C-alpha cells in the first residue's frame, strides 16, 4: 500500500488529505483555520486593499492537519500506517509572497517585525499595489511588451512584483531587511525539506510563470535592468530570484528527519514542488488536453492545458500561459472570473433581500429554480469585482438591467447566476477562438457540488455537459497526485490521475429549449460586455463605469 | 364669510376639503376609501393590466366626505355654516372613462352589468388597451400626425380611446349597451348638477385635450372618419362626444336641490367643471407662468402653463399641450415620470433589503442621507415603469450600474432617488430647450413633504431651489380654488390663488459642491438615457431592453 499526502493552503484555512494512490480513496482529512486576524487574514479597517497572513499559521497548520488526518485515516482503516505515506504535495494561494531574511526565515517570525503587517505574507487578494501594477504594466508595454503578452496584457495588483514594489515604497525598512521574497508555495515545501535557505531554495514554475513574468524565452524572470527602472533596489532583488524554476513533477527536497519525527512520517520521503491551489485543483479534477477545469468558489479559476509541443498563440485576456505550470510537458493556461460566489454572497449578505431567512442562498435558490430562462426580463453583468478574463480590468463594476416594479429578489439572484454563466461562456469562447479546443468541462468547488440549479444553468448557457469532480477536495487531491508521482507510486501524472481522480456519476446536460433562450440572452450580454467593457472609444458606453469611479474617488477624497 | 368645497378623487380614496376663500385656511377635511376591489381597485389576477373602479364608490364618497368635512369644519370654527359654501370644485384621476346609457347612468350601476368589470370605470392605470394604443398611434402617424404632435408623439394605453376601443373589442356587449363614455371628471360634476343626461353633459377641456386628442384646431375630438378606420362603431361614438369643451373657470351646472338637501348645502350653488387631480393640484400649488409644479407621488406630474397668446412649438415627449387645461387663458403643459415613489416602494416592499425593519423607507433614508453625492459609485435609470417624458416609452426598464461586492442597500436607495432627480432635470431641460422658461419649482405630494433628503437631492441635481406647496392637499385645494371662482368669491384664478395658496417657509437651496458632482453624474445619466432610450439605431444600446422584453414575453407564453 502506498499513500500520498496533500496539503492545501486556502485563503482562510489549510487542509490535509491522505489518499490511497492506487484508487484515490480519501482515508483521512483535517482542516485548520488560521488564527491570526479575521478568518485568518490581517486586515486594515482604513484600507480595504490590505490582506496579509501570518506564516506562523502556515507552520502550525502543518502539524495540526497532518496529525488530524493521520488519526482519521487510522480510524478509517486499522491497517493504515503513516509510514506508508510515500510523498507530500503542497498547494497554496498565490501570488502570496513573503519577505525572508538571509537564512530564509520569514521576517514576520522575527521579534522585530512580528507586529508589522508589511513583514507578513501578502495574501493573493491584497490589492495595495494597484498603482505599482499600473506602473509595471506601463513600463512593460513600452520596453518589454512580450512580458505582458503571456499574462493577458496587464500586470495585476495581485501579483508578485506589484506587492514587492509596493512594500519597497511604503515600508522600506521591511524591504531593506528582506534578503529576498518567496512565494508561500515555494516556502512551505522548502521548510519541510530544509531547503529554505536562499541558496538552496527551489522556486516553482507555476508561481513564477503566472505571477512574476518568468519565461525561459527571455531568460527567466524579467531582467534586472527592467526592474531597476521601477526602482534600483528592485533591480538588485533580481539576483536573489535565480534563473531556474521547477514543475510539480520534481521534488523540492526530502522531508527532514526533524519534521518526520514531529509528524510521525518517514524521513527522506520527497516533498513535491509547490503550486497554486487552482493548478493542483485542476490536476485533482483530472485535467488533460481538451478538458476545461472550472474551480468555482468566491471567484473562479478556469484551467486548460495544451501539449508543450503545440504552437500556441498569445491569447488576449488570458491570465497566463506557462509551460509546466499545471502538468509537466504541457502549457498551463489560466483564466478566471473575479467574482462568482462572491456576487451571490454580496446579494445575500449585503442586500439581504427579504431579511436573513427569506434571503438565504437556499431560499433564493429554491424560488429561482422555478423560473424559466428569460422569464424575469433581467440581465446582469458579473463584474461586481471587475473582470479578470477576458477584459482584464479590475475596475469594471456590476450592472443589472430590466427591472420593473414587480421584480423579485429570486429573479435578481437567478440573473446574477446567469451572468456568471455568461462570463464562463465568454472564457470558453476565447479559448476556442484561439485554437484551444474545449471538449469537456469538469467543475469543482463547493458551489459546483451544492447547487444543481447553477450547474444546470451553466450547461444550458454554454450548451455543454457540466461534469463535477468526484472529490470534494480537488486541490488537496491534486497535491496528493503530485506527492504520488514524486514518491514513485505512479510513473506519470496521467497514470496517477487515471488511478486517483474521477468525476461524479451525475452530470448536467444542456436542455435544448433553455439553451436556445440563453443563446438570445447571451447576444445581449455580449453587447453589454463589449459596450461597457472594451476600451475602444467607438463603443458608446466604454467610459461610463470609469467616469463613475473617478467621481466616486473624488467624493471619497 | 365665503367657503369653497373641493372634492379630490384619487386612486384609492376621495377627499373633501372646506377652505376659507379669503385666506386658504383649511377648516375641515375627510377621506373616504373606496370599498370595491383591492384598495378600491377591481383587479384581475390573470392580467396585471386590469384596473377598474366602481362608480358607486364615487357616489358614496360624495356624501361621506362632505358630511365628515362639514362636521370637522364646525368643530374648528363654531361660526362655520355649510350654507356659507359658495361653490364646489371636483378633480379626479384620468383618463378614467366609464360607459353610460342613454340617460347618462353608468352601466356598472345597472343590475345587468354590476358584476362586469368592463362596465365599470376604467381607471387611469388600466393598461389593457396597449395594443389599441399602438394601433391608434400608428394610424394617426399615417393620417393625422397633428393629433399626436400635441400629446408627445405617442397615444397612450392609459388614454380614453385606447380603453374604449379595447372594450369594443373584448366586451362588445358592454360597448353596445353604452350610449357614450364619460370621464369620471365630467360625470361627477354632472351628477351633482343633474346634467348627466348625454344631451346636457359638459365635457372638460382638461380630459378631452390631454387624453382624447381634442383640439379646436381640428374641430374638437378626432373626426369620425379617423375613428371609423379603427372601428366603424368607434366612428359612430364620435357624434355622442360633442364639439365643445369647457375649462375649470366655468360651471358644469348648479347643485340640485336633491343633492343640496342630502348634503346640507345651499341648492343652486355652482359646481365647477371638473379637471384631473394633477391639473387642479397645480392650481392649488399656485401655478402661474414660469412656475413648474411637480406633484410627486407614486409617479410624478410636472405641470407648466404658458399664456394662450404665446406661440408655442410642439414639444416632443411632453404628454400634452392643451389650451385652458390648467388655468383659463393659458396653455396647460403636462409632463411626468412614470414611477418615482413606486420605484422606492418597489425596493422597500419587493426587495426588502435587510428585512422589513432595516429596509424601511425611514431607515434607508437615514442611512442614505449620510452619503455624499457620487460616493457610492452607483448610477441608475428611473425606468422601472417605463419613461413617460421625454422618451414616451412605457416598455423601457430599470438599470442599476456601478455595484461592487461592498454595495449596500442605502446606496442603492439613494441611487434610485438620484435617478428620479435626473429624470426630473431631463424634463425641466426639455421645457427650456423649447422656450418654456422655468423660473421657479414648487413641489407637492407626500414624498415632497416628508422626505427632506429627497428634496435636497432634487435641488442639488437640478441646481434650483425646491419650494414646497403650503397645503398638504393641493389637489383638493385646487378644486376649492375653482369652486371659489365659479362661486364668485374671487374674480379670477390668479386672485383666488393669491388669497388661498402659498408655499412653505422652508425651501431647499442647491449646495454648490453637490451640484457640481451631480452635473458630472448627470452627464453619465444622460449618456445611459440616450444610449438605452433613443430609438435611433446609431446608439449602441437602443435594442437591449426591448430585445429582453421579447425574450421575456416568449418565456412567459
Amino acid at each position: 500500500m502506498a499513500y500520498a499526502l496533500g496539503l492545501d493552503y486556502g485563503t482562510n484555512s489549510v487542509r490535509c488529505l491522505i489518499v490511497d494512490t492506487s484508487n484515490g480513496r480519501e482515508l483521512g482529512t483535517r482542516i485548520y483555520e488560521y488564527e491570526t486576524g479575521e478568518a485568518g487574514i490581517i486586515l486594515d479597517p482604513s484600507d480595504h486593499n490590505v490582506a496579509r497572513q501570518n506564516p506562523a499559521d502556515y507552520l502550525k497548520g502543518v502539524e495540526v492537519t497532518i496529525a488530524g488526518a493521520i488519526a482519521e485515516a487510522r480510524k478509517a482503516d486499522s491497517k493504515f500506517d503513516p509510514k506508508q505515506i510515500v510523498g507530500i504535495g503542497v498547494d497554496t494561494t498565490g501570488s502570496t509572497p513573503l519577505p525572508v531574511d538571509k537564512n530564509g526565515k520569514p521576517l514576520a517570525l522575527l521579534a522585530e517585525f512580528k507586529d508589522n503587517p508589511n513583514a507578513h505574507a501578502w495574501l493573493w487578494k491584497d490589492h495595495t499595489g494597484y498603482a505599482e501594477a499600473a506602473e509595471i504594466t506601463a513600463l512593460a508595454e513600452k520596453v518589454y511588451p512580450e512580458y505582458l503578452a503571456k499574462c493577458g496584457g496587464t500586470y495585476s495588483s495581485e501579483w508578485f512584483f506589484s506587492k514587492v514594489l509596493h512594500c519597497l515604497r511604503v515600508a522600506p525598512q521591511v524591504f531593506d531587511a528582506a534578503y529576498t521574497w518567496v512565494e508561500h508555495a515555494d516556502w512551505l515545501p522548502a521548510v519541510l525539506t530544509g531547503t529554505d535557505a536562499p541558496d538552496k531554495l527551489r522556486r516553482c514554475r507555476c508561481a513564477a510563470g503566472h505571477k512574476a513574468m518568468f519565461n525561459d524565452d527571455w531568460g527567466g524572470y524579467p531582467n534586472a535592468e527592467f526592474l531597476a527602472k521601477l526602482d534600483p533596489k528592485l533591480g538588485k532583488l533580481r539576483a536573489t530570484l535565480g534563473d531556474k524554476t521547477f514543475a510539480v513533477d520534481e521534488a523540492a527536497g526530502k522531508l527532514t528527519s526533524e519534521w518526520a519525527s514531529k509528524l510521525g512520517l518517514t524521513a527522506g520521503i520527497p516533498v513535491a514542488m509547490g503550486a497554486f491551489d487552482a493548478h493542483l485543483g485542476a490536476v485533482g479534477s483530472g485535467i488533460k488536453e481538451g478538458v476545461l477545469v472550472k474551480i468555482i468558489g468566491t471567484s473562479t479559476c478556469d484551467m486548460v492545458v495544451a501539449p508543450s509541443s503545440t504552437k500556441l498563440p498569445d491569447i488576449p485576456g488570458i491570465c497566463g500561459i506557462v509551460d509546466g505550470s499545471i502538468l509537466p510537458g504541457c502549457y498551463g493556461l489560466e483564466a478566471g472570473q473575479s467574482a462568482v460566489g462572491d456576487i451571490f454572497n454580496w446579494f445575500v449578505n449585503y442586500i439581504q433581500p427579504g431579511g436573513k431567512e427569506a434571503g438565504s442562498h437556499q431560499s433564493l435558490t429554491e424560488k429561482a429554480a422555478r423560473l424559466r430562462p428569460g422569464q424575469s426580463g433581467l440581465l446582469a453583468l458579473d463584474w461586481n469585482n471587475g473582470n479578470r478574463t477576458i477584459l482584464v480590468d479590475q475596475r469594471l463594476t456590476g450592472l443589472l438591467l430590466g427591472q420593473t416594479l414587480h421584480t423579485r429578489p429570486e429573479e435578481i439572484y437567478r440573473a446574477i447566476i446567469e451572468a456568471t454563466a455568461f462570463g464562463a461562456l465568454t472564457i470558453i469562447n476565447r479559448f476556442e477562438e484561439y485554437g484551444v479546443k474545449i471538449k469537456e468541462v469538469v467543475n469543482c468547488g463547493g458551489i459546483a457540488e451544492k447547487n444543481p440549479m447553477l450547474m444546470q444553468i451553466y450547461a444550458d448557457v454554454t450548451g455543454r455537459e457540466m461534469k463535477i469532480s468526484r472529490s470534494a477536495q480537488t486541490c488537496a487531491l491534486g497535491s496528493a497526485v503530485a506527492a504520488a508521482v514524486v514518491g514513485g507510486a505512479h510513473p506519470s501524472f496521467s497514470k496517477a490521475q487515471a488511478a486517483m481522480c474521477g468525476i461524479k456519476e451525475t452530470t448536467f446536460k444542456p436542455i435544448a429549449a433553455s439553451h436556445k433562450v440563453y443563446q438570445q440572452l447571451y447576444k445581449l450580454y455580449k453587447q453589454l460586455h463589449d459596450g461597457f467593457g472594451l476600451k475602444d472609444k467607438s463603443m458608446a458606453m466604454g467610459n461610463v463605469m470609469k467616469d463613475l469611479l473617478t467621481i466616486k474617488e473624488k467624493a471619497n477624497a
Side-chain angles (χ1 to χ4, degrees), chain A:
Chain A
M1 292 305 295
Y3 294 96
L5 187 152
L7 283 169
D8 163 38
Y9 284 87
T11 299
N12 311 106
S13 62
V14 49
R15 171 193 299 275
C16 173
L17 182 69
I18 296 171
V19 185
D20 184 334
T21 60
S22 69
N23 58 14
R25 183 179 165 217
E26 297 175 1
L27 242 68
T29 187
R30 173 71 178 268
I31 287 174
Y32 166 72
E33 315 267 353
Y34 309 137
E35 291 171 30
T36 311
E38 285 180 48
I41 307 174
I42 301 164
L43 301 173
D44 180 344
S46 72
D47 183 359
H48 274 309
N49 293 312
V50 171
R52 308 286 158 79
Q53 285 191 325
N54 188 348
D57 289 339
Y58 300 158
L59 291 176
K60 185 164 175 192
V62 174
E63 295 188 57
V64 172
T65 63
I66 293 183
I70 287 175
E72 198 178 284
R74 281 202 162 108
K75 266 194 218 158
D77 185 341
S78 58
K79 290 188 221 137
F80 169 78
D81 179 351
K83 300 292 179 194
Q84 294 166 313
I85 291 172
V86 297
I88 296 175
V90 180
D91 70 78
T92 73
T93 67
S95 173
T96 303
L98 52 162
V100 300
D101 70 8
K102 279 212 160 120
N103 307 312
K105 189 162 182 111
L107 299 187
L109 302 183
L110 304 175
E112 187 186 349
F113 288 109
K114 76 178 175 46
D115 297 325
N116 186 337
N118 295 315
H120 284 63
W122 292 47
L123 187 62
W124 67 276
K125 64 171 158 176
D126 186 291
H127 285 107
T128 50
Y130 63 88
E132 286 78 10
E135 200 180 331
I136 295 168
T137 301
L139 180 66
E141 270 171 0
K142 220 163 59 183
V143 298
Y144 289 109
E146 61 269 38
Y147 287 177
L148 297 180
K150 298 288 175 209
C151 59
T154 306
Y155 197 78
S156 165
S157 59
E158 291 187 2
W159 298 351
F160 187 81
F161 289 114
S162 302
K163 286 167 169 165
V164 174
L165 183 56
H166 186 67
C167 180
L168 188 162
R169 298 262 167 80
V170 298
Q173 75 290 7
V174 171
F175 184 88
D176 292 344
Y179 174 77
T180 192
W181 288 67
V182 183
E183 284 282 351
H184 180 195
D186 295 331
W187 178 70
L188 212 281
V191 166
L192 296 178
T193 57
T195 60
D196 49 334
D199 60 328
K200 292 188 193 148
L201 182 84
R202 293 181 142 197
R203 293 181 193 257
C204 70
R205 174 67 55 85
C206 180
H210 283 287
K211 312 295 181 190
M213 299 185 281
F214 183 99
N215 195 306
D216 284 332
D217 287 357
W218 50 79
Y221 289 99
N223 68 46
E225 184 201 9
F226 172 81
L227 296 174
K229 274 192 185 151
L230 295 162
D231 193 290
K233 286 185 185 175
L234 199 66
K236 281 188 197 152
L237 184 79
R238 172 64 179 80
T240 69
L241 300 176
D243 292 317
K244 226 186 141 191
T245 53
F246 302 85
V248 276
D249 58 339
E250 299 204 55
K254 292 174 186 310
L255 190 67
T256 64
S257 46
E258 192 185 343
W259 275 106
S261 71
K262 207 186 295 186
L263 300 171
L265 300 177
T266 312
I269 57 168
V271 178
M273 286 302 301
F276 290 148
D277 41 10
H279 295 67
L280 282 171
V283 170
S285 296
I287 197 165
K288 62 183 176 188
E289 193 185 355
V291 175
L292 166 71
V293 173
K294 289 183 67 63
I295 301 166
I296 308 179
T298 53
S299 62
T300 70
C301 284
D302 292 24
M303 317 298 279
V304 172
V305 295
S308 303
S309 54
T310 322
K311 185 121 187 73
L312 263 194
D314 296 330
I315 308 182
I318 297 299
C319 312
I321 303 179
V322 175
D323 195 6
S325 70
I326 299 176
L327 289 180
C330 283
Y331 288 111
L333 289 80
E334 184 188 345
Q337 293 170 264
S338 305
V340 172
D342 266 350
I343 307 184
F344 317 148
N345 287 336
W346 161 72
F347 190 60
V348 164
N349 297 328
Y350 279 70
I351 305 303
Q352 291 186 14
K356 280 190 185 168
E357 204 162 315
S360 70
H361 286 293
Q362 197 192 330
S363 161
L364 287 168
T365 299
E366 278 167 18
K367 288 181 212 150
R370 286 182 220 130
L371 298 168
R372 288 189 295 281
Q375 197 185 14
S376 71
L378 295 176
L379 185 62
L381 287 173
D382 50 326
W383 296 353
N384 288 43
N385 195 28
N387 178 292
R388 192 183 292 159
T389 309
I390 62 177
L391 297 167
V392 198
D393 192 339
Q394 291 306 315
R395 283 165 58 83
L396 292 172
T397 55
L399 182 149
L400 177 70
L401 180 151
Q403 51 272 46
T404 68
L405 296 175
H406 303 281
T407 299
R408 294 190 173 276
E410 60 270 24
E411 294 177 315
I412 298 176
Y413 191 71
R414 185 171 176 119
I416 56 184
I417 289 176
E418 290 169 345
T420 66
F422 295 138
L425 176 57
T426 307
I427 293 174
I428 293 175
N429 289 346
R430 175 54 56 103
F431 277 126
E432 296 214 314
E433 283 154 19
Y434 283 80
V436 180
K437 184 87 194 142
I438 308 295
K439 292 177 203 152
E440 200 180 331
V441 183
V442 177
N443 300 275
C444 63
I447 292 180
E449 284 178 43
K450 286 177 203 156
N451 197 324
M453 176 185 75
L454 180 136
M455 280 290 98
Q456 187 60 52
I457 289 173
Y458 275 48
D460 292 340
V461 164
T462 61
R464 291 161 183 271
E465 185 176 6
M466 292 290 129
K467 300 177 179 175
I468 296 176
S469 181
R470 190 178 59 205
S471 171
Q473 32 217 359
T474 45
C475 299
L477 177 59
S479 292
V481 167
V485 172
V486 296
H490 290 288
S492 69
F493 269 69
S494 58
K495 291 264 161 61
Q497 285 178 298
M500 298 168 69
C501 311
I503 61 157
K504 292 198 184 189
E505 263 183 46
T506 305
T507 67
F508 297 84
K509 294 192 181 69
I511 297 164
S514 300
H515 181 51
K516 210 175 143 191
V517 177
Y518 281 132
Q519 281 179 307
Q520 297 164 46
L521 285 171
Y522 182 68
K523 256 192 207 162
L524 296 175
Y525 171 89
K526 196 65 184 4
Q527 190 183 348
L528 292 177
H529 175 283
D530 291 354
F532 283 95
L534 292 182
K535 282 154 198 158
D536 180 347
K537 294 283 175 199
S538 72
M539 303 307 297
M541 298 291 163
N543 62 303
V544 176
M545 290 170 177
K546 303 308 173 56
D547 287 357
L548 258 184
L549 286 184
T550 305
I551 294 168
K552 175 178 178 171
E553 279 153 14
K554 278 190 203 152
N556 279 313

